[in-house]
Amino acid sequence: MLDLMPSLREWQPAVTGQRCAVATVVGAGGSVPRPLGTSMLVSEAGEVLGSLSGGCVEGAVVEAALQAMHDGGTRREFFGYSAEDAFAVGLTCGGELEIHIEPLGSAPQGLRLEKLRTLAGPGPASALALIRRVDANGGGAVVIPDPASFRVDSSAELAALMGLASIGAPPARQLLRAAAAQLEPLLRDGRTGLVRLAPPEGCVSGATVPQNHATNSATGPEPSPEPISLLVESRLPPARLLIFGANDFGAALLPAAQLLGYYVTLCDARPAFASQSRFAGAEQVVTAWPHRYLAGEAAAGRIDARTVACVLTHDPKFDIPLLQTALGLDLAYVGAMGSRRSHRQRVDSLLAAGVTAEDLSRLHSPIGLDLGAVTPAEVAVSITAELVASRSRTAGASVQASSLKDGAGPIHTGPIHTVTTQNFSTPQHQETPWT
């Protein structure tokens, strides 16, 4: 849903105040085009913003959304691949999707277009999170402007979303503590995930029966209540990508990195190079010695574990002190341009400067994947390809930079994580964005 918000200012159904419904992927299995949390808006006139599957199931989802607006309630739709019925609506890739559909404003705490348009900006420049209830027994959402500092156990708004009468009652406190253990890491890390919690009266899986739960001697215990399902979408400010070197390769990498969502800074010690108009598209252009700039940014707390440093200066007087500084920080990626001969000389210089072999193992040099790249534009593709592969490995996926046509098995193997649940046995998948 957060990905759609920048478009709401210009989307005509939102501008004109039409009724709308939001359809969201809340369950995914196998090979699917889009991850958990992907949303699509449908207006009462059938206009669409966003996509759930790249075209496989959108028509059926639109029809279900129109029906949900007519009925005024939420609904679930399931889509998979049917080998028996070639004309059935489903995913030709063989995956399975579970879609939650909710008319906007239908629940007491429901999302409203006017509120979303107020929060929508020109791009994902600020932190924001949504916690939405997506089980069959509830709806609505809580908007969180500052995910990093949000406290679950003290939020009366979240307690109301979960159907708790008071956050002071012992069962409510117990459930909020369980929710906090799962929700707060997602919020603070800028991740998307589905959390399922047992209602406070008892367990929702296995053989445990809730307290005071009625039984029938003929049929056994009645079905346990459905767990509370909360979909978390958290967005942090964009990760930073620092380009060191105002040259042709830096000019090509700048827009390519922005396509991946990075906040790009270009740094060069030479004013005549850094001031060229071709670098004006960067969010920030800095004229300073690279290693001093990086050390200053780290000291000011403006560098974090998602930051990427691409050293394209190809000049030892800049490269060595900069790489020594960069490899001493907790950065997501450090890469340096140069030939293999330059790389060997660079390694010797860094070892002589006191950089450890362990830190040197984090250096991507020569920078980029081996795509046969020659031109600056091709090298930019090579670098961004390695960034994507590196962040997928960081998220736990097994990644090999080879052609898909030469492989076998599922295309989408990660990043997949399991969200632990309170008294619930089914794991859910979540996307972990690196940017």
Side-chain angles (χ1 to χ4, degrees), residues 101-365:
I101 301 172
E102 179 182 352
L104 293 180
S106 60
Q109 287 187 296
L111 286 173
R112 299 184 183 277
L113 268 182
E114 55 269 24
K115 185 171 185 178
L116 292 176
R117 291 189 68 232
T118 301
L119 293 169
S126 60
L128 187 67
L130 289 175
I131 299 179
R132 297 167 52 197
R133 185 162 176 177
V134 294
D135 55 80
N137 299 320
V142 175
V143 178
I144 303 170
D146 186 6
S149 63
F150 182 75
R151 292 290 304 275
V152 168
D153 58 2
S154 60
S155 173
E157 192 177 5
L158 182 61
L161 181 71
M162 296 168 64
L164 305 176
S166 170
I167 62 175
R173 288 201 304 269
Q174 180 182 359
L175 188 60
L176 284 172
R177 283 196 297 268
Q182 301 174 51
L183 295 175
E184 289 181 1
L186 296 174
L187 292 170
R188 291 169 184 167
D189 293 344
R191 292 186 287 160
T192 295
L194 184 68
V195 171
R196 292 188 172 180
L197 299 159
E201 61 267 18
C203 184
V204 298
S205 65
T208 304
V209 180
Q211 296 178 0
N212 302 322
H213 193 73
T215 59
N216 183 296
S217 58
T219 61
E222 295 180 4
S224 297
E226 181 177 347
I228 298 170
S229 298
L230 301 175
L231 177 66
V232 183
E233 297 178 78
S234 181
R235 180 184 73 198
L236 301 179
R240 298 188 65 185
L241 186 142
L242 311 177
I243 299 175
F244 297 99
N247 52 35
D248 291 344
F249 297 98
L253 179 59
L254 194 162
Q258 289 172 327
L259 282 176
L260 293 181
Y262 288 103
Y263 180 98
V264 178
T265 298
L266 181 119
C267 177
D268 198 293
R270 303 161 296 179
F273 289 85
S275 61
Q276 297 175 71
S277 60
R278 59 179 174 163
F279 301 117
E283 278 78 14
Q284 188 178 23
V285 177
V286 176
T287 303
W289 274 78
H291 71 288
R292 293 172 186 164
Y293 171 73
L294 180 59
E297 291 296 284
R302 292 188 288 267
I303 298 295
D304 62 24
R306 302 181 300 147
T307 301
V308 170
C310 296
V311 181
L312 311 182
T313 45
H314 205 282
D315 185 335
K317 70 174 178 289
F318 295 126
D319 294 357
I320 301 306
L322 173 58
L323 289 172
Q324 185 178 3
T325 302
L327 292 172
L329 299 172
D330 181 18
L331 303 183
Y333 176 97
V334 180
M337 177 175 284
S339 66
R340 298 198 184 279
R341 179 175 177 273
S342 297
H343 171 68
R344 289 192 293 270
Q345 294 174 338
R346 183 181 292 142
V347 167
D348 291 341
S349 298
L350 289 170
L351 287 172
V355 177
T356 67
E358 182 181 0
D359 284 340
L360 272 174
S361 67
R362 297 169 41 229
L363 175 61
H364 295 262
S365 173

Side-chain angles (χ1 to χ4, degrees), residues 66-81:
L66 293 173
Q67 189 62 47
M69 281 185 274
H70 180 267
D71 297 340
T74 62
R75 60 175 57 202
R76 290 280 183 91
E77 299 289 339
F78 298 86
F79 299 96
Y81 174 71

